[in-house]
Amino acid sequence: MSKKIVIEPVTRVEGHGKVTIHLDDQGNVAQSRLHIVEFRGFERFVQGRPYWEAPVLVERLCGICPVSHHLAAAKAVDVIAGAGTGDGLTPTAEKIRRLMHYGQMFQSHTLHFFHLASPDLLFGYDAPPEQRNVIGVALANRELATQAVLMRKYGQEVIAATAGKKIHGTGAIPGGVNKSLTIEERDTLLKGRAPLNADKMIAWSQGALAFFKDYYKKNKAFIDGFSQFPSNHLSLVRKDGALDLYHGVLRAVDAAGKKILNDVDYQDYLSHLREEVRSWSYMKFPFLKILGKEKGWYRVGPLARLNTADFIPTPLAQKEFEAFKAVTGGKPNNMCMHTHWARLIEVLHSAEVIRDLLLDSDITGTDLVTKGKWQPVGVGVIEAPRGTLMHHYRVNEDDLITMANLIVSTTHNNEPMNRAVNCVAKAMMTGQKEITEPMMNAVEVAIRAYDPCLSCATHAYGQMPLEVSLYDATGKLISQRRK
Amino acid sequence: MASFVKFTINGKTCLAEEGAQLVEAAKENGIYIPTLCNYPGIPPKGSCRICTVLVNGIGQTACTTKVVEGMTVQTSTPELEEFRKSVIEILFAEGNHLCPSCEKSGSCELQALAYRYRVTVPHFPYLFPKRDVEAWHPKLVKDHNRCIQCKRCIRGIRNGKGQALFAFGKRGDKVVINIDPETSRDISDALAQEAMDMCPVGAILRKEKGFDVPIGKRKFDRQPIGSDIQA
Ligand code: SF4
């Protein structure tokens, strides 16, 4: 008799995910699925609204990375306002937006790694849930936990200085920004209130990387082997191939490193990407047109970015990048848990970029907005913490939005996350008759490597109830376990 | 020479020019009476009722009341405060006010009053009316979702020939304030800005002008409404 196992809700993944694992008569895993059950509706809400509202309206999609949505939408409406794609802004506007974005990357990655993922690393996914949370981290490693909290705070301060407030600000407007930094704001971030200053953030980011690398040395088999599978990788890269989280061209490489999307203009993303709808999930499955539905799926996010980029344009992060690349002999890295390593390299890179931007005199400039010839369509793409984020708007001649298409990082990663869950299920459930706590946790660990915010919903972490239900082939509930 | 009259507000003896508008006279004497449809320099209408006070014990709108010798005024009794809060709540419930993405947020008088009166959730059911955004005009947008029909724009905004730019359409609960295509043709940017500024809410917007004032610099960011007159 085949069985169906349901893991619901998934904890420390924001929002609500549900995993079903189907066993065959022999108790082997026949199929696993990650169901995304939320429906957000923002593409509909924004219709009929003036286009300049989009950056402020759609950022409400998320409480962790609103800046990414704010800026992706702003980049799209820049095009509509005739300010061009990325390079049309004034130097001050471009740099303020970059500062906002790298501040966002810094705080969100810190949250993702320390608050959401590090408990699994520190204590193992078979540790009791009372310990396997951020409070447990704080009790076990006070210094690390304190730094994590303060690093996140620093990133939030950068956002507040550029967007007006820490969450859901208004800094980016069509064709530019509504403020630059005052000298005082700049100095506070650069060398202000100890211990929060730009150099300290760089030093602490290096400390976080050292922590991970030390862990890796001791747990190589787990970090390398856990839920690893080959895939394509997609991200923006700067025109010269450098890692760029704010702007660039779209590049994809396959599992062996061959370029399958060669630095194309993202205004044209529809010629290269398609989305598939599957009956059992609200979330679509994007794929590269050139490779088709079966083979064209890809990963996005920190791991993908370090696989597509040729180099990192800040010295300390570049050194770490070289060490990271050496593990796979320069080839793409397909090991799921290495995403955390890549994430920490981006934390360091973000800290370096923040410091460099603060030292740039344009950051306090006064030339804030450019406008040009109105266009009816605009696409904005940005590298959000969890990966490539696409916003696409069409407006009528009255400036009201008639169509919006948002492809968020989680959607790009839909197929990889399903594969990751399947990998874990196969490794841990084959030949097992009962679902164990470590098994359920391992599924969450795999998802969390990609994404802690399935629905981009409200913030919640810690101990959420976990429910496991067991169904037989006819759909009858035969057993249920709660914690 | 103007003659002054003596009257009391909340028991405090006040002085004002005879015939002065009660809202203004109270302000001169350091007492805040909230208003929404009233706007300095244009004839008062008394339509929003939020400035209702007790004059010699009887409820009256302060914007349409002139001070006279010996008048006793109560601006703040528990009933009046409750009544005002209800007026604010009704205005929220009968329109579609999504402050988080509104251009006027931070500079909106309705929102500022809601903060002052600590409105969290209206006690009245939301009506969620189906309303349009009127965006055909090259310089202006009229978002009917946010219009509170205070008529400030009808009364206060005129073109070079003295003609009103805004006019009523429809009746009863369907009433809308529209942009007049004839009189609003060829308006200057300055007049469009004046219309946006005169609107107490985010119902009249200048095209592409949303969110250009950063958070922290908006009208009520540092100074909550009425706090310049009375805490
Ligand atoms: S008009 Fe005022 S109350 Fe209405 S949505 Fe805008 S800010 Fe909020």
Side-chain angles (χ1 to χ4, degrees), chain A residues 121-438:
Chain A
L121 300 184
L122 271 177
F123 308 119
Y125 53 75
D126 44 2
E130 307 82 75
Q131 186 187 25
R132 215 167 41 92
N133 57 49
V134 71
I135 308 298
V137 176
L139 292 173
N141 196 331
R142 208 185 152 86
E143 198 187 334
L144 190 72
T146 311
Q147 286 179 6
V149 170
L150 291 174
M151 284 166 83
R152 178 140 199 266
K153 179 173 163 55
Y154 183 80
Q156 297 281 43
E157 299 288 354
V158 172
I159 296 170
T162 47
K165 60 187 179 111
K166 291 175 183 165
I167 304 174
H168 300 142
T170 63
I173 55 175
V177 292
N178 64 16
K179 79 183 283 286
S180 58
L181 292 196
T182 61
I183 306 273
E184 195 194 0
E185 284 167 335
R186 183 200 62 191
D187 290 348
T188 304
L189 292 172
L190 202 52
K191 44 188 186 295
R193 296 187 293 271
L196 297 183
N197 61 62
D199 286 326
K200 193 55 127 190
M201 293 305 119
I202 294 173
W204 285 356
S205 304
Q206 288 179 297
L209 263 163
F211 164 80
F212 183 87
K213 286 193 286 187
D214 180 55
Y215 179 86
Y216 179 42
K217 229 187 271 163
K218 295 177 194 144
N219 300 274
K220 195 166 179 325
F222 166 61
I223 294 287
D224 288 351
F226 185 84
S227 178
Q228 70 118 336
F229 52 88
S231 75
N232 305 311
H233 301 272
L234 175 125
S235 81
L236 287 179
V237 292
R238 202 166 74 184
K239 276 194 181 128
D240 62 357
L243 177 74
D244 194 321
L245 305 173
Y246 174 72
H247 189 62
V249 286
L250 280 173
R251 178 186 285 185
V253 297
D254 68 11
K258 196 176 117 225
K259 271 189 206 164
I260 44 179
L261 197 60
N262 204 349
D263 301 359
V264 298
D265 180 357
Y266 62 68
Q267 293 303 314
D268 223 15
Y269 79 102
L270 279 179
S271 329
H272 307 288
L273 297 183
R274 281 270 179 279
E275 289 181 282
E276 185 198 353
V277 175
R278 295 185 196 165
S279 59
W280 51 271
S281 178
Y282 280 138
M283 199 157 76
K284 291 181 192 168
F285 288 80
F287 59 92
L288 291 164
K289 214 167 127 185
I290 187 171
L291 296 181
K293 266 186 221 173
E294 290 301 314
K295 296 209 173 106
W297 59 275
Y298 49 84
R299 281 192 256 217
V300 298
L303 188 68
R305 289 192 283 255
L306 296 204
N307 284 331
T308 54
D310 300 329
F311 66 99
I312 297 184
T314 53
L316 298 174
Q318 169 64 16
K319 253 181 101 189
E320 298 292 340
F321 177 70
E322 284 161 18
F324 177 84
K325 292 303 264 189
V327 172
T328 51
K331 292 280 178 211
N333 184 327
N334 289 296
M335 295 172 274
C336 173
M337 294 306 275
H338 285 230
T339 308
H340 292 307
W341 187 359
R343 181 170 292 122
L344 290 172
I345 294 175
E346 289 189 343
V347 168
L348 175 59
H349 172 56
S350 300
E352 289 184 280
V353 171
I354 291 170
R355 193 249 341 255
D356 294 350
L357 284 168
L358 291 170
L359 290 169
D360 190 318
S361 61
D362 284 334
I363 214 74
T364 52
T366 51
D367 195 5
L368 303 183
V369 182
T370 354
K371 289 271 164 76
K373 190 171 175 298
W374 178 92
Q375 308 285 328
V377 183
V379 177
V381 176
I382 199 160
E383 283 300 321
R386 252 63 77 197
T388 315
L389 169 64
M390 302 174 158
H391 281 218
H392 174 190
Y393 303 99
R394 189 180 293 280
V395 298
N396 63 18
E397 65 267 23
D398 292 343
D399 293 326
L400 301 183
I401 294 169
T402 55
M403 187 284 302
N405 188 31
L406 316 182
I407 311 182
V408 304
S409 330
T410 310
T411 306
H412 290 293
N413 272 333
N414 198 357
E415 181 68 28
M417 285 198 290
N418 270 279
R419 301 241 169 186
V421 167
N422 204 36
C423 260
V424 171
K426 282 212 159 107
M428 301 192 71
M429 280 310 286
T430 303
Q432 303 290 319
K433 291 205 178 62
E434 272 195 37
I435 318 136
T436 59
E437 168 101 13

Side-chain angles (χ1 to χ4, degrees), chain B residues 92 96-100 102-112 145-147 200-203:
Chain B
F92 271 96
N96 297 307
H97 293 272
L98 300 159
C99 299
C102 179
E103 289 83 340
K104 206 63 176 255
S105 186
S107 301
C108 168
E109 293 177 37
L110 178 63
Q111 185 193 51
N145 294 288
R146 303 171 184 157
C147 182
V201 291

